[in-house]
Amino acid sequence: MASIETAAEAVARVAYLSSDVVLSVQPALASDSEFSKYLHSYSASRLPGLVTKESPEVIAIRHNVDPLLSAFQPLRSGKLVSATASSSILLPSIPHLYKLAQYPIVLHVSLHPFNSPDYSEITAIRQSGFIFLQSETIQEAQDIALSAHALAIRSGKGVIHFFDPANSRRDRPIEPEDRDVVRDVLDLEAARARQLRKDENTSLYVDDGRRATVTETIPQTPVDSQSGSEVAKGTPPQTATEQSSTEEGSSVGSSVRESSADSRPTLSSATSIDSITTRPVTSDDIYDYITTIWVNVARATGRAYQVFEYTGPDDAEYALFIFGSTGLFVDELEEAKSTDEFAKCGLITARLYRPWMGPQLARSLPTSIRRIAVLEQIRKKTTKWGPVLLDLLTSLRTGPSVNAAPLIVGHQLGHLEPATVRQALRGIFQNLSSATPIQNLEVGSSERPRQSSPQYDLTQPRVENAYMKILDQVFGERLYVANRLDASNAGISATISATPEYGFGSLLAREERRRRFVGEVQTAAATRDFATDVPQSWLSKWALNAEDPHKANAIAPDVISRLSNDGSRLASALLESKSLFFKESRWLIGSDAWAYDLGNSGVHHVIASGANVNMLIIDSQPYSERAAADEARRKKDVGLYAMNFGNAYVASVAVYGSYTQVLEAMIEADRYAGPSVVVAYLPYNKEDDSPLTVLQETKKAIDLGYWPLYRWNPNREENGEPNFSLDSERIKHELEEFLRRDNHLTQLMNRHPKFAANLSESYGTEVRALQKRKAKDAYNTLLESLYGAPMTILFASDNGNAESLAKRLGNRGKARGLKTMVMAMDDYPLEDLPTEENVVMMTSTAGQGEFPQNGRAFWDAVKGTTDLDLAQTKYAVFALGDSHYWPRKEDKIYYNKPGKDLDARLALLGGVRLVDVGLGDDQDPDSYQTGYTDWEPKLWQALGVDKVEGLPEEPPPITNEDIKIQSNFLRGTIAEGLEDTTTGAISASDQQLTKFHGTYMQDDRDLRDERKAQGLEPAYAFMIRCRLNGGVATPSQWLQMDSISSSYGNETMKLTTRQTFQFHGVVKSKLKSAMRGINKALMTTIAACGDVNRNVMLSPLPTKSAFHRQVHEVSARISDHLLPSTTAYHEIWLKDPDSPDEKKHTKIAGDAVVDKEPLYGPTYLPRKFKITIAIPPHNDTDVYAHDIGLIAIKDASSNRLEGFNVLVGGGMGVTHNNKKTYPRTGSMLGYSPASQIHLVCEKIMLVQRDHGDRKNRKHARLKYTIDDMGVDMFRSKVEDLLGAKFEEPRPFEFKSNIDTFGWQKDEFGMNHFLMFIENGRVEDTAEFPMKTGLREIAKVHKGEFRLTPNQHLCLSGVPDKELDMVKGMLNRYKLDNLQFSGLRLSSSACVAFPTCGLAMAESERYLPELISKLEDCLEENGLRQDSIVMRMTGCPNGCARPWLAEVAFVGKAYGAYNMYLGGGYHGQRLNKLYRSSIGEEEILSIMKPLLKRYALEREEGERFGDFVIRIGMIKPTKEGKSFHEDVAEEESDGE
């Protein structure tokens, strides 16, 4: 290990090695303290500690959130805890110190401010009961830190180790202490004993009687009862213990050493039996402990330490006792000349400051000492005499030897520069040697050096800017933040001015000033001291409306303007306070530090005052963070606290949960005449956390009830409305129940999970355990009546393969006479595993060799336990994986890793293996079935049931084709499922059918694990996709879509790569209402998904409106012609059940509705079918990527649409490493006139209907039909149905497949603006109110909204007379900003997490971050404006058409992507695999040098995709079937 260069590094290392838990108190979570950078480095490298079995836990805590509260919970659970902090936390923590002093905690305190520390923060807490140790050099810091931990372990008391970091800044580096030395000094046996002791106390401030105690065994001998003389004395004290007692123990923290006689029991009778006594730890005990520890340190290192240390001549007459920074004095004394007054001076320091060992001080001094100068570096004096001076006087100037005691002279030590130390020493010794020395003489400057500042400057975390931006947007110039950090408050520190108390006082003063100002205006309005009469009328008008914010603020600019023009002295006087003409929106802004006991008093004052003050309190505690479950932190629910007052407006908001609700709450708070409290959630672990991390934590907290969104307005009651309105939809029913309970107990429970263990556990882990137990017991009861041996089958499955295999095995086991039970691993009570006779486990492989989600908790428990004895349990394991999924040889260990690990672990726990682990491989001819077919017979043989005859035939698995044909033309049981309120889901078969209706069932994957842990079903919701022909919508339709997204969805809209609207987060109860709303806007969702022809896409073409109109008419004709005919859509979503007309249906055979599908038939198509139209020279629809790609051909003479070149067989869907699947670009069939193109599309679709693969859905797309059949054969079949031949294709040229941004004018003089919508997500954020802006524009726009296939938006058809107005609105809402890099403008991403069930990695939420990390490189190399097509998807299904991009990243596991290079810039060529399964670091290491090389070596006009092929980085993909050939990274064979 490298040398240690600072005292903080030495301390951090010792604390880490010697603790179970280290509290790293930091200025901010993103800003390191002098200790934290080392602690986090050790933790990140998993450096093992010495007192814990694993790596110690390092917990980062902000300095202003009552950090020592976090010590109670681990201390009471038997953990050894230390904290590293600056001295600034000590005084605010005094209420905790008195209790913590009775626990074995070590506080390592760096004295601040740096270079001029204040030791009064130590003396102020000297009576707290802690032991205090001091170090001065780097070496001492290491040794004394170790001593502090050893002392805490032995004494059971808290130890504060303090040091001045500046004192040792010139020290040479030291070697780190050997781990064996640390181990020996700590006494690990005593540490283990300490860890076994638990404490049931829960109070924080009330003295519960806990004391550190020592247990002694005292052998007794007869005592002369008359004389009382004792024959034998007791044995030395053993290691201290703790006990809770109501007895008062002697204070170890007193300034006088305790008498050992006072603390020893006396013997009152003669006995020869040993007695055991327990008594409080005394100062004598502490002296004994520390002396023993320092003997051990000296033995191991050769460095000796004493309670008081004297250095200097043995015959010195004068000495300095320094309680402060000694470094400068030591240097000067060492260099003193013999002629200097201080040449023979001694130096005394207190190594053990508390308990104060007075007698040891006298023993440490030479008898020659006649005078001692006490130098105390104490800035905040509270008494005339310094505390250290009084300690010395008490120790040396009292008692029988007072006459021989040295004279003691106190001095106050200020700041000294190195150049003035000699002069200061002379002054000290002149005073010390005088006949009448002056007491309390000041030495040095009382002013701190200017460069010296508190370590923890208050700054607003960057992530919290979101709420400040919203305040600025809503209130503008009216906003006044009383405790703004950047405000200048003369003589007041930022720490004080940021408190609620100071801010409240400031607001009251400002309110009073405005009241006086209103009076001054009223007086001025009645005078004639103005130059003209104009100001008087305006002032009078303003004074009448001064308290009405809307009227006063509307008049204020005019009043100020009139006064400015008047020029009189009175006008100038009023203008000096012109800001007071505005009725301000006044706010106090604080953090969750205001929610702790020590910061809450100011909040109480504001609420109790009833004053019209608004408070915004930002809570940054992530739900999933460990401290969320620490009841000892005593964090108040400020919202409920304020609601109980009854006079306050209260809102609980989250900007990443509902932006609209934040706006409403702030506006309502401002309007409320009284105190308002807006508690705002913004969870982060570090202040520079990404928005994605904050979003995920926010969603989790809202969904689980940890952070409900609500508003409480007492004024609503006057209008007959409820005071409370809940804004978080998913838990509405539960929260209403909570509110009906006394004292809002359940809300408090969700916010503090340990508040009442019996209730909180019943909500979470206990419910889960009960569910497991009931399920298994019920099944066991059922099996009781059956015969045969038992077989329990446990599965872990993400995509359903392992689950279906397990269920099939269970059915086959029953057929063979076994009593089988099948359940998910996480649903199984692990404690029952040793009782199982036969257990079979099946698991697929997720992520980077990980267990699927419903098996992770089970595996973690199995992996972490040593208590399971499986000697009586027989087991077998079958694993499902893909040997080619991880192509690099070093990664092949991930192939079927969960199954292999589970098999090995069960064997290690004593299990008896029935059969070797089976390995199913997706690369085998029949996928995992190949390995399974070989493995299952061996299992039956091992169980002795392989010879069973007469086994029934198994029914074939239900396929999508079965579901479609049994659905009665897409009805299924959808209607019944929508009415089922017991679940948010619908049945599996209905999930397939609803796709045809334009909706997918999904669940929020950000919340999946947390909801499972709480015993809840996944957060089911639905995605709705509209069918929007050509992507053209009217302004009224835009407004309706905006309203639907806010009313029924997650308040955002997605503009998709299918050129339509998509809504997410629609819960089942709102699904039908959302569908009706879409249809009321004259739009539909039918056939937007499913095995039918989907939305027909079209280039937005803003420059040629007439031609666009012609092509759009054709696209509408195709779309309508290929629409399914079933009436199921209308029946399920649109009909009014109460309408007589709606009840009239023609039925046959009972309740079956007569229906037909002339084009599709009852089974529809084998797979989805997509059509797109491109208009050269723009291939912005990726015409080569679809089942049918139509290239519009214009008549050169008339400029009218002539016809289309027809491409067929494009498609993007792929399965990772399955070479039977591949993307494909379309093949040219020929040319067809526009008049019959809808029939051409029909016939192509019919050939696919009749010849597509209906057995293997991975081989069912048209691209495989064409490759199997051949292009010529396919063409002839289409021509046979069409009754006509295709003509030769017409010439065309594509120049780009990206959008052309900015303003463009068409041939009619109309204006079109194509704006950048990153990844198509339309939403409001604090930085960018995009959704609001587009909504406002839609209210006045009379043209069209054209959605682009690249997920952007064209505001189309703006006349010149409205151009300035529209430009102004675009500018106001930042929608005209196109100052992005060419890479960003050319990028595209699919939705992926959290809603897409197929996603393996992030996409939409991550691509913008990745591009940001590349843009500096683009700028450096002059590529900022260059268009490079980059796309990202979360899985290989290809929704963002990544296989055509010049560079693409396709998700393979969370945080891992396959990288593809070489796609054609015009969308005409597929790319090829370059690297597999790489993370961000490797992506950047590849892309940055490559971009630089592209900038330097490219040819004129050469595109990036062409460049990487030319330089040999990647081979070109000439057709889809060669997609997997000649890849840059060959795949290995796995195992």
Side-chain angles (χ1 to χ4, degrees), residues 963-1023:
I963 293 172
K964 287 186 284 187
I965 202 167
Q966 295 169 13
S967 71
N968 189 17
F969 295 96
L970 307 182
R971 287 173 176 82
T973 58
I974 296 174
E976 294 81 356
L978 293 174
E979 299 300 320
D980 182 4
T981 60
T982 63
T983 176
I986 56 176
S987 69
S989 59
D990 286 342
Q991 289 174 38
Q992 298 301 318
L993 295 175
T994 53
K995 295 178 183 179
F996 292 80
H997 298 258
T999 182
Y1000 280 75
M1001 191 185 86
Q1002 303 173 327
D1003 77 289
D1004 195 323
R1005 296 173 68 179
D1006 285 344
L1007 306 175
R1008 190 181 282 176
D1009 289 343
E1010 284 295 337
R1011 289 183 66 86
K1012 183 175 183 180
Q1014 299 291 347
L1016 304 173
E1017 72 174 8
Y1020 293 119
F1022 290 78
M1023 178 274 286

Side-chain angles (χ1 to χ4, degrees), residues 979 1072 1076 1130-1145:
E979 299 300 320
K1072 186 176 288 188
R1076 287 178 174 175
H1130 182 273
E1131 293 170 19
I1132 294 171
W1133 306 109
L1134 305 181
K1135 77 173 184 178
D1136 182 357
D1138 298 325
S1139 171
D1141 295 334
E1142 297 286 7
K1143 294 180 179 179
K1144 295 178 181 178
H1145 294 292

Side-chain angles (χ1 to χ4, degrees), residues 850-897:
E850 300 162 359
F851 269 78
Q853 285 191 328
N854 59 355
R856 289 179 188 173
F858 177 86
W859 169 241
D860 289 342
V862 170
K863 179 177 61 175
T865 184
T866 57
D867 298 332
L868 288 177
D869 181 2
L870 303 184
Q872 305 302 316
T873 302
K874 299 174 184 177
Y875 77 91
V877 176
F878 187 81
L880 294 81
D882 184 340
S883 61
H884 287 187
Y885 196 82
W886 300 98
R888 295 181 295 195
K889 290 183 178 180
E890 62 267 27
D891 291 338
K892 71 177 185 178
I893 59 169
Y894 300 131
Y895 167 59
N896 272 324
K897 186 175 186 295

